[in-house]
Amino acid sequence: MNINRYMIKDTKEIRLSKLDANETGDFKTKKEAEAATAKLKKRLAELQDILFAQKKHSLLVILQGMDSSGKDGTVKHIFSGINPQGFIVTSFKKPSLEEEAHDFLWRVHQKTPPKGYISAFNRSHYEDVLVPRVHGSLSKEDAKHRFRYIRQFEEMLVEEGTTIIKLFLHISKEKQLEKIQERLEDPKKHWKFDASDLQEREYWDNYQEAYEEVFKESSTEQTPWFWIPANHRWYRNYLALDIVVKTLEKLDLRYPKLNTPTPDISELISPRH
Amino acid sequence: MNINRYMIKDTKEIRLSKLDANETGDFKTKKEAEAATAKLKKRLAELQDILFAQKKHSLLVILQGMDSSGKDGTVKHIFSGINPQGFIVTSFKKPSLEEEAHDFLWRVHQKTPPKGYISAFNRSHYEDVLVPRVHGSLSKEDAKHRFRYIRQFEEMLVEEGTTIIKLFLHISKEKQLEKIQERLEDPKKHWKFDASDLQEREYWDNYQEAYEEVFKESSTEQTPWFWIPANHRWYRNYLALDIVVKTLEKLDLRYPKLNTPTPDISELISPRH
């Protein structure tokens, strides 16, 4: 897929309502997409092996999206084939009292990936602008400050060796309702239901606007946002994975060479007389 | 004392060799200074009590200086009278492998003070510019990047409620030698001796230059550096404490009010009939 199509560039013009959450790119069927996804998963495992061996770069994948947009599912699907030793997921929930007593980047900075690692953020520091903006507790001006700190923070991470991928999982309002209903009806999904999701749903339009503000303020050349049509989970998984793989392929990933002269082990191998 | 005298403002002109490490301000004797210091210690304890109760602000005191300049002694003297529950010291040593695998601000960000607290950094993120600059492993340009990240990081902390005081303990080269000799001769001080201090002493001039670069790049209006004449430890303690107290006094520290209506406890107090 040409992933540039999904990169949010012209940030002055972005209107989420104009982006089709049902889109499936070049794929017509789920089967096609799943075959392509399987190949990409193998490729990701290869690339992660080198990343981990080389310990030069790290990758941070930030996942945002409305409730039920499939953040957990995306993490599960795209990263299930890699070496878990080199992978860390952090889900950022409502801040604890200790977290609230610090600046909003404090808890996220701690969870950034060390060299060699891939980290996924399931929600992130963007929630610290989105939620208070929607609920009116953060002024436009204070939000501007936070966006500046976010840009500077991400820029510093990039400069110090972390590649950042920011994915917005885009679902339609109808799809969200469908997912909420599934959670209520399927006993295996009851645990995912949270009454507050229904409350937040009432702020749907405000969230969409707040996201448009996020893209405008934080989709930069170095750390762009990608929007992922997420009504079809098979396309969502394929596309998210494709972006991850293509991004890793742009790095100069190489297995490190032996940094001592190659020892002569012939004596250990050949039988002694 | 007029602490502005010690604020490093005109950062283009700073020459450490022109600053007198033997200075004792308005004090002629140790006794005078110690009496003033005792008063300030009481005042600091009062202020910290309000800071802790109010949980609105936090204070970060960054201590830098050549080896043997008295960073440990300063922490010990100025903060020994306060409530230890609201105070955290972190000594930053050579980074661990885990720390090295992250950006250089990763470990310091974790140790920034939560609201209500005072934190002291015994050495800090400035070491990550000073040491590699002196030993030639960080180019001037890369140092400029790091300085930018430091300014942005500190600005963000300030904006989010942390007041930052940056103290440079200034001793003369002769005084350092004297202190090293003490460490070698006094059995109670043997533990403080580190052979690497003697090696680093050979880079004295380079360190002084690197510090001048630090002041030039990071003494800002919001987060200025102060230089502390530190050949006389009694003046050093007095002045560092005075800067801390005067800085806290500028904040709007107030005990919080009861946020419920005052309950009528007369019934609990007066005897029942």
Side-chain angles (χ1 to χ4, degrees):
Chain A
M1 202 61 53
N2 176 11
I3 61 169
N4 285 328
R5 250 177 74 188
Y6 299 97
M7 194 187 284
I8 299 178
K9 282 180 218 157
D10 194 354
T11 49
K12 274 175 203 152
E13 289 299 317
I14 180 98
R15 283 285 168 276
L16 281 177
S17 57
K18 289 187 183 161
L19 301 178
D20 181 8
N22 273 312
E23 229 220 80
T24 59
D26 300 341
F27 295 107
K28 292 207 181 79
T29 65
K30 182 176 173 179
K31 207 175 152 191
E32 271 173 33
E34 284 182 345
T37 303
K39 271 191 200 160
L40 284 172
K41 282 180 87 159
K42 275 192 196 153
R43 181 70 186 131
L44 177 60
E46 287 167 6
L47 290 164
Q48 185 218 11
D49 199 55
I50 311 176
L51 184 87
F52 193 74
Q54 193 181 14
K55 299 269 189 298
K56 183 179 170 188
H57 304 280
S58 61
L59 178 68
L60 173 60
V61 181
I62 297 176
L63 286 154
Q64 286 286 158
M66 303 295 285
D67 294 326
S68 317
S69 60
K71 297 181 287 296
D72 301 80
T74 305
V75 169
K76 186 172 159 185
H77 280 93
I78 72 180
F79 294 115
S80 56
I82 65 172
N83 178 358
Q85 198 185 333
F87 180 62
I88 311 154
V89 195
T90 309
S91 293
F92 291 99
K93 315 275 183 193
K94 199 170 173 298
S96 69
L97 287 176
E98 191 191 4
E99 289 167 350
E100 266 182 354
H102 288 91
D103 67 90
F104 74 105
L105 293 171
W106 183 75
R107 63 175 185 164
V108 290
H109 199 169
Q110 291 179 40
K111 301 298 182 179
T112 52
K115 290 189 200 313
Y117 285 72
I118 299 177
S119 288
F121 283 0
N122 186 337
R123 304 186 188 269
S124 66
H125 41 293
Y126 287 100
E127 295 285 318
D128 296 294
V129 189
L130 289 163
V131 179
R133 278 300 284 153
V134 165
H135 293 285
S137 58
L138 189 73
S139 71
K140 187 139 187 152
E141 204 197 321
D142 286 343
K144 281 223 174 266
H145 284 194
R146 291 202 163 180
F147 280 126
R148 180 151 54 84
Y149 300 135
I150 289 175
R151 287 193 302 268
Q152 292 172 347
F153 170 63
E154 293 182 352
E155 191 198 333
M156 183 273 292
L157 291 178
V158 169
E159 186 91 19
E160 300 271 323
T162 301
T163 299
I164 303 179
I165 296 175
K166 302 191 283 197
L167 303 178
F168 172 71
L169 306 186
H170 181 49
I171 55 165
S172 62
K173 200 171 176 189
E174 298 69 39
K175 190 71 186 180
Q176 190 192 51
L177 189 59
E178 209 178 282
K179 296 268 199 123
I180 291 173
Q181 279 167 336
E182 269 177 37
R183 290 177 180 187
L184 286 167
E185 286 160 16
D186 183 348
K188 282 195 187 165
K189 291 185 177 168
H190 284 354
W191 66 278
K192 289 189 179 181
F193 177 74
D194 185 337
S196 74
D197 291 357
L198 281 177
Q199 281 162 32
E200 290 304 285
R201 182 171 160 81
E202 306 205 351
Y203 296 95
W204 179 276
D205 292 340
N206 308 65
Y207 270 109
Q208 300 281 306
E209 253 176 58
Y211 267 112
E212 287 164 2
E213 204 178 321
V214 162
F215 303 140
K216 195 173 158 187
E217 294 283 349
S218 67
S219 202
T220 70
E221 205 160 315
Q222 265 191 321
T223 58
W225 278 96
F226 291 90
W227 72 279
I228 309 278
N231 273 8
H232 296 284
R233 65 191 77 176
W234 46 269
Y235 189 60
R236 173 199 79 195
N237 293 341
Y238 165 79
L239 184 58
L241 188 53
D242 198 30
I243 292 170
V244 169
V245 166
K246 291 216 167 80
T247 305
L248 285 174
E249 277 175 341
K250 270 190 254 164
L251 300 176
D252 59 331
L253 295 179
R254 262 168 309 188
Y255 283 106
K257 289 182 184 155
L258 271 182
N259 56 9
T260 49
T262 313
D264 180 2
I265 57 162
S266 55
E267 215 179 294
L268 300 171
I269 297 164
S270 53
R272 290 192 172 221
H273 299 285
Chain B
M1 201 61 53
N2 177 11
I3 62 170
N4 284 328
R5 252 176 73 189
Y6 299 97
M7 195 187 282
I8 299 178
K9 284 177 217 162
D10 193 355
T11 49
K12 274 175 202 153
E13 288 298 319
I14 181 97
R15 283 285 168 274
L16 280 177
S17 56
K18 289 188 181 158
L19 300 178
D20 181 7
N22 273 311
E23 227 219 85
T24 59
D26 301 341
F27 294 108
K28 293 210 178 74
T29 67
K30 180 177 174 179
K31 209 176 150 188
E32 271 171 33
E34 285 182 345
T37 302
K39 271 190 201 162
L40 285 172
K41 282 179 88 160
K42 275 189 196 157
R43 182 67 186 133
L44 177 59
E46 287 166 6
L47 290 165
Q48 185 217 11
D49 200 55
I50 311 176
L51 184 88
F52 193 74
Q54 192 180 14
K55 298 267 190 300
K56 182 179 170 186
H57 304 280
S58 61
L59 178 69
L60 172 60
V61 180
I62 297 176
L63 286 153
Q64 284 287 158
M66 303 293 286
D67 293 327
S68 315
S69 59
K71 295 181 287 296
D72 301 81
T74 305
V75 170
K76 187 173 160 184
H77 280 93
I78 74 179
F79 293 114
S80 55
I82 66 172
N83 178 357
Q85 198 186 331
F87 180 65
I88 311 153
V89 195
T90 309
S91 294
F92 291 99
K93 315 274 184 196
K94 199 170 175 299
S96 68
L97 286 175
E98 192 191 3
E99 289 167 349
E100 267 181 353
H102 289 91
D103 67 89
F104 74 106
L105 292 171
W106 182 75
R107 61 174 186 163
V108 291
H109 199 169
Q110 291 179 39
K111 301 298 182 179
T112 52
K115 290 191 200 310
Y117 285 72
I118 299 177
S119 288
F121 282 1
N122 187 338
R123 304 185 189 270
S124 65
H125 41 293
Y126 287 100
E127 295 286 320
D128 296 296
V129 188
L130 288 162
V131 179
R133 277 301 283 153
V134 165
H135 293 285
S137 59
L138 189 73
S139 72
K140 187 142 186 146
E141 203 196 321
D142 286 343
K144 281 221 176 267
H145 284 194
R146 290 202 164 183
F147 281 126
R148 182 152 54 85
Y149 300 135
I150 289 175
R151 286 194 302 269
Q152 292 171 346
F153 170 62
E154 293 182 352
E155 190 198 333
M156 183 273 290
L157 291 177
V158 169
E159 185 92 21
E160 300 272 322
T162 301
T163 299
I164 303 179
I165 296 175
K166 302 191 283 197
L167 303 177
F168 172 71
L169 306 185
H170 180 49
I171 55 165
S172 63
K173 199 171 176 187
E174 298 71 37
K175 189 72 186 180
Q176 188 191 53
L177 189 59
E178 210 178 282
K179 295 267 200 120
I180 291 174
Q181 279 167 336
E182 270 177 36
R183 290 176 179 188
L184 286 167
E185 285 159 16
D186 182 347
K188 283 193 184 165
K189 291 184 175 167
H190 283 355
W191 67 278
K192 289 188 179 181
F193 178 75
D194 185 338
S196 74
D197 291 356
L198 282 176
Q199 281 163 31
E200 289 304 285
R201 183 172 160 81
E202 305 205 354
Y203 296 95
W204 180 276
D205 293 339
N206 308 66
Y207 270 108
Q208 301 281 302
E209 253 176 58
Y211 267 112
E212 288 164 1
E213 204 178 321
V214 162
F215 302 140
K216 194 174 157 186
E217 294 282 351
S218 67
S219 202
T220 69
E221 205 161 316
Q222 265 191 321
T223 58
W225 277 97
F226 291 89
W227 71 278
I228 309 278
N231 273 9
H232 296 284
R233 64 190 80 175
W234 45 271
Y235 188 61
R236 173 199 81 195
N237 293 341
Y238 165 79
L239 184 60
L241 188 51
D242 198 30
I243 292 170
V244 170
V245 166
K246 289 214 168 81
T247 304
L248 285 175
E249 277 175 340
K250 270 190 255 164
L251 300 176
D252 58 330
L253 295 179
R254 261 168 309 186
Y255 284 107
K257 289 183 184 153
L258 273 180
N259 58 10
T260 49
T262 314
D264 181 3
I265 58 164
S266 56
E267 218 181 294
L268 299 171
I269 297 166
S270 54
R272 291 193 172 219
H273 300 287

